Amino acid sequence: MTAARSADSGLAGPGELDRYPYTEAPGTDRVGMPSWDGGDPDLGRVGRRSAGSRGRGLHGQLVQQLGQMIVSGDLGADRPLVPEEIGQRFEVSRTVVRESLRVLEAKGLVSARPNVGTRVRPVSDWNLLDPDIIEWRAFGPQRDDQRRELGELRWMIEPLAARLAVGHGRDDLQQRLGDMVEIMGHALTQGDSLTFSRADAEFHSLIIQLAGNRMLEHLSGIVSAALQVSGGSLIGCDRPTEAALVHHSRIVDALAAGDAMAAETAMRQLLTIHPEVERVVPAPREH
């Protein structure tokens, strides 16, 4: 690292991508610049890494850095992004910058046009169902809105998926659901919240797969992202609790019995076992 980060300003110095470990193959295209004179200091702001960018080297880390700054509002709508300045600031090559901006463009965060350059797009253009954007919003200034919206979306998706999952005859997936419940039960007795949450995430993904609706299956990433970012404060079923385990078991039993109504009801109960239920179940909004 060529410069230290200021603890007061929250700005990263040149080469600040080195603050995270990454694997760099021999001969990787990397540029080392000692400073970014005249550059915008906002482009040095650093933040939390997302699951979507871990282990992807400089390219993934730059996507993470810029994506978080855009979503947090540090880089506002219509803000120009100059590739040369970004490359100098983060000490990465033009190739890394170009590929990173393409990823952000695919997510709807930026647009690149001839004679205009690359600019930040307004929130209305973002792909809000993208797992990276979900996480960036969940850990940024919009965290409350993001978690509420995720809770409401899960309330609409998962009870329906549980109802549709009945009668599809996927014995392999139903057996796997039972396995996940057993794993959660063991993790509960051991106080192993990490294992519990991983089994829980797979359980909910399997329910959506069992629904037999390909369009619905495309939304499984949203549920996974919601479980990852909820942090136990939004949805109770990602916590190792006896109540959560009971409702998971009831869903499995309902599926085995072919009872669609019971499966849907059990899923709704599972999504509302947390004391902060009003943050999960949509309530009429005042206008």
Side-chain angles (χ1 to χ4, degrees):
M1 190 179 299
T2 59
R5 178 173 183 255
S6 167
D8 295 328
S9 67
L11 303 181
E16 192 69 5
L17 289 177
D18 287 337
R19 73 194 337 265
Y20 300 125
Y22 59 89
T23 301
E24 190 172 40
T28 297
D29 190 9
R30 179 172 172 80
V31 178
M33 301 294 290
S35 64
W36 188 13
D37 296 332
D40 193 322
D42 281 347
L43 287 172
R45 197 175 299 275
V46 297
R48 182 187 179 101
R49 303 172 72 203
S50 77
S53 298
R54 293 188 184 106
R56 297 185 187 177
L58 293 174
H59 165 261
Q61 291 176 40
L62 187 57
V63 169
Q64 164 69 11
Q65 298 276 8
L66 296 177
Q68 273 201 317
M69 287 188 284
I70 292 170
V71 171
S72 69
D74 288 337
L75 299 176
D78 206 35
R79 178 70 165 274
L81 298 178
V82 182
E84 291 77 10
E85 293 181 351
I86 295 173
Q88 290 176 352
R89 182 62 179 182
F90 291 108
E91 294 188 350
V92 293
S93 70
R94 286 177 294 180
T95 299
V96 171
V97 175
R98 183 169 59 250
E99 292 303 315
S100 299
L101 291 177
R102 285 178 179 173
V103 172
L104 295 175
E105 185 173 18
K107 296 176 184 294
L109 295 178
V110 304
S111 62
R113 292 182 294 174
N115 302 320
V116 176
T118 302
R119 291 182 175 273
V120 175
R121 299 171 70 175
V123 178
S124 58
D125 292 340
W126 298 355
N127 177 10
L128 296 179
L129 301 184
D130 182 279
D132 279 338
I133 295 180
I134 288 175
E135 182 167 344
W136 295 336
R137 292 186 70 209
F139 292 104
Q142 305 172 45
R143 63 177 64 86
D144 290 339
D145 286 341
Q146 178 65 99
R147 295 186 182 195
R148 173 185 55 78
E149 290 167 1
L150 284 172
E152 292 175 352
L153 195 57
R154 288 191 66 190
W155 179 258
M156 291 185 284
I157 292 173
E158 295 191 73
L160 172 62
R163 169 184 279 274
L164 294 176
V166 171
H168 280 279
R170 293 293 305 274
D171 293 338
D172 56 333
L173 294 184
Q174 292 202 28
Q175 177 60 48
R176 187 63 178 164
L177 283 173
D179 293 342
M180 292 302 101
V181 172
E182 289 188 18
I183 291 173
M184 283 188 278
H186 180 72
L188 178 62
T189 61
Q190 299 295 317
D192 186 351
S193 59
L194 179 59
T195 298
F196 188 97
S197 64
R198 287 176 174 172
D200 178 46
E202 182 167 346
F203 182 96
H204 289 272
S205 178
L206 287 168
I207 290 291
I208 293 178
Q209 290 181 51
L210 269 171
N213 184 309
R214 293 182 179 179
M215 295 184 71
L216 191 62
E217 190 170 339
H218 275 279
L219 300 178
S220 63
I222 300 172
V223 174
S224 296
L227 288 168
Q228 291 171 11
V229 306
S230 65
S233 62
L234 173 64
I235 297 167
C237 61
D238 65 345
R239 287 182 171 184
T241 65
E242 187 65 39
L245 186 63
V246 168
H247 289 304
H248 280 90
S249 298
R250 287 176 178 171
I251 292 171
V252 173
D253 292 343
L255 294 179
D259 191 335
M261 180 62 73
E264 179 179 357
T265 299
M267 179 62 79
R268 291 194 184 279
Q269 291 172 339
L270 175 59
L271 293 176
T272 57
I273 60 176
H274 195 271
E276 296 182 10
V277 63
E278 68 275 6
R279 296 182 58 192
V280 179
V281 182
R285 299 180 188 171
E286 296 181 1
H287 298 283

